[in-house]
Amino acid sequence: MAGKDANDEEFQDALGEPAPSPQKATTNKPDHEKLIDDIIEKNSKLSLTDDEGGAAGSEGASNKDNDEDDSGDKADVIQPDGELSLEELQLQEKELSVEQLAANKEKADKLKLEGNELFKNDEPERAIVVYTEALNICPSVNSKERAVLFCNRAAAKMKLEANRAAISDCTQAIELNPVYVRALLRRAKLYEQDERLDEALTDYKRVYEIDPGQPEAREAQIRLPALINERNEKLKTEMLSSLKGLGDMILKPFGLSTANFQMQQDPNSGSYSINFNQNNS
């Protein structure tokens, strides 16, 4: 079986166009409540901690995966996968002999090849089922083989535009094999499709550390920092504009606006002072 392992994971990535983001339902809230909600939402997405490439920190981006509505992701079509947890698999293995574990490994290898053929024949749903079946018998000690199964299943999920589920599978593959370049590249592409640019850049950087000859990783490290900075500047501008709008709304009953207040920075201390000008409107 060793001779087949070198090629059976080498099928081309199935990268479709990212699914459009679902439109948020409109409400009949008063204008000032809508504005406040908009400010809170934008502020929650904004991260101003610069990293090595001038990019914002990825903590805020990671929350997107946990908190945002995933109705635009087709993961529900194929989830749950029905695989055993690592603990369940290890408990099951306690009842098996060395010979039975070896037989399971051999069967898992055959199922992997079957899943690959289904993938190549444009049957991703069936490929996912077969990869899962292989994961449920592939011995827990065979980390690299299990990583390949997770990574291949991620590719099948990508064909179904189930990007969030595919990211999860790539992550499990990377946890099993931290230097698995294919899984890192696949997850980086998924992050980028999901507009999680900070996390995508982190994966591309990791790929470059492992294999400096990867052209995608080199190109991404040139391209993504500028996109991240552009996004952050846009978010800051939008947030400040929203805050100005809120300030004008609060000050309007007093015959004032934010134009009546000017902020000046002390060049020595860096602190700000606010000056009031009655004549501005």
Side-chain angles (χ1 to χ4, degrees):
M1 303 300 296
K4 297 180 180 179
D5 288 343
N7 297 317
D8 58 15
E9 60 178 312
E10 294 302 318
F11 47 78
Q12 184 178 1
D13 285 354
L15 294 175
E17 291 296 322
S21 301
Q23 297 296 321
K24 294 185 178 179
T26 58
T27 64
N28 295 321
K29 290 184 178 181
D31 289 342
H32 69 280
E33 289 188 17
K34 289 181 182 178
L35 183 56
I36 292 172
D37 288 345
D38 188 46
I39 292 171
I40 292 172
E41 179 182 357
K42 289 177 179 176
N43 191 45
S44 68
K45 295 179 181 178
L46 184 61
S47 176
L48 304 179
T49 304
D50 289 343
D51 68 4
E52 178 180 324
S58 62
E59 181 179 351
S62 64
N63 289 336
K64 178 177 180 181
D65 190 48
N66 296 328
D67 300 333
E68 283 192 357
D69 180 13
D70 62 355
S71 58
D73 195 329
K74 298 181 182 178
D76 291 342
V77 176
I78 55 174
Q79 291 292 339
D81 295 308
E83 74 196 54
L84 297 175
S85 68
L86 182 60
E87 293 76 13
E88 290 171 329
L89 180 60
Q90 290 172 338
L91 183 62
Q92 175 180 282
E93 290 172 348
K94 289 182 179 180
E95 307 297 324
L96 302 178
S97 65
V98 174
E99 291 77 13
Q100 287 173 316
L101 287 171
N104 277 358
K105 169 63 169 56
E106 184 175 353
K107 183 178 179 181
D109 287 340
K110 291 179 180 179
L111 287 169
K112 178 176 63 176
L113 295 176
E114 181 183 340
N116 291 354
E117 287 303 313
L118 290 168
F119 178 91
K120 293 173 185 176
N121 292 329
D122 201 24
E123 297 184 76
E125 296 94 339
R126 291 182 62 195
I128 289 167
V129 173
V130 172
Y131 289 136
T132 303
E133 186 179 348
L135 282 165
N136 283 342
I137 61 172
C138 186
S140 58
V141 296
N142 296 105
S143 297
K144 288 187 177 181
E145 289 81 358
R146 291 181 61 80
V148 171
L149 288 168
F150 276 117
C151 191
N152 286 5
R153 193 173 71 176
K157 290 178 179 180
M158 290 168 73
K159 271 202 169 184
L160 298 174
E161 297 180 7
N163 286 6
R164 189 158 303 176
I167 287 172
S168 177
D169 276 358
C170 287
T171 298
Q172 293 191 74
I174 294 163
E175 288 173 353
L176 289 166
N177 183 5
V179 295
Y180 193 177
V181 168
R182 181 171 295 276
L184 284 161
L185 278 174
R186 190 161 285 159
R187 189 173 69 175
K189 293 172 185 176
L190 286 162
Y191 278 149
E192 191 169 352
Q193 286 186 22
D194 205 29
E195 297 184 1
R196 295 165 62 177
L197 303 183
D198 307 275
E199 291 159 282
L201 182 59
T202 296
D203 277 353
Y204 282 123
K205 285 181 177 179
R206 178 59 180 148
V207 169
Y208 187 76
E209 290 173 2
I210 298 168
D211 182 4
Q214 278 287 341
E216 289 177 280
R218 292 199 308 271
E219 184 271 339
Q221 289 183 83
I222 297 171
R223 173 174 52 84
L224 289 182
L227 293 176
I228 292 170
N229 287 336
E230 180 182 349
R231 177 206 63 192
N232 289 347
E233 289 302 316
K234 181 179 179 181
L235 286 173
K236 284 190 282 188
T237 300
E238 290 176 353
M239 185 183 71
L240 290 173
S241 177
S242 297
L243 288 172
K244 182 179 183 298
L246 179 60
D248 288 338
M249 185 180 298
I250 294 171
L251 293 169
K252 185 176 181 180
F254 303 98
L256 300 172
S257 73
T258 52
N260 294 107
F261 300 88
Q262 294 180 338
M263 294 182 64
Q264 292 184 340
Q265 186 177 23
D266 187 326
N268 297 319
S269 66
S271 61
Y272 286 88
S273 61
I274 299 177
N275 297 322
F276 175 71
N277 187 344
Q278 180 69 52
N279 296 326
N280 286 344
S281 58

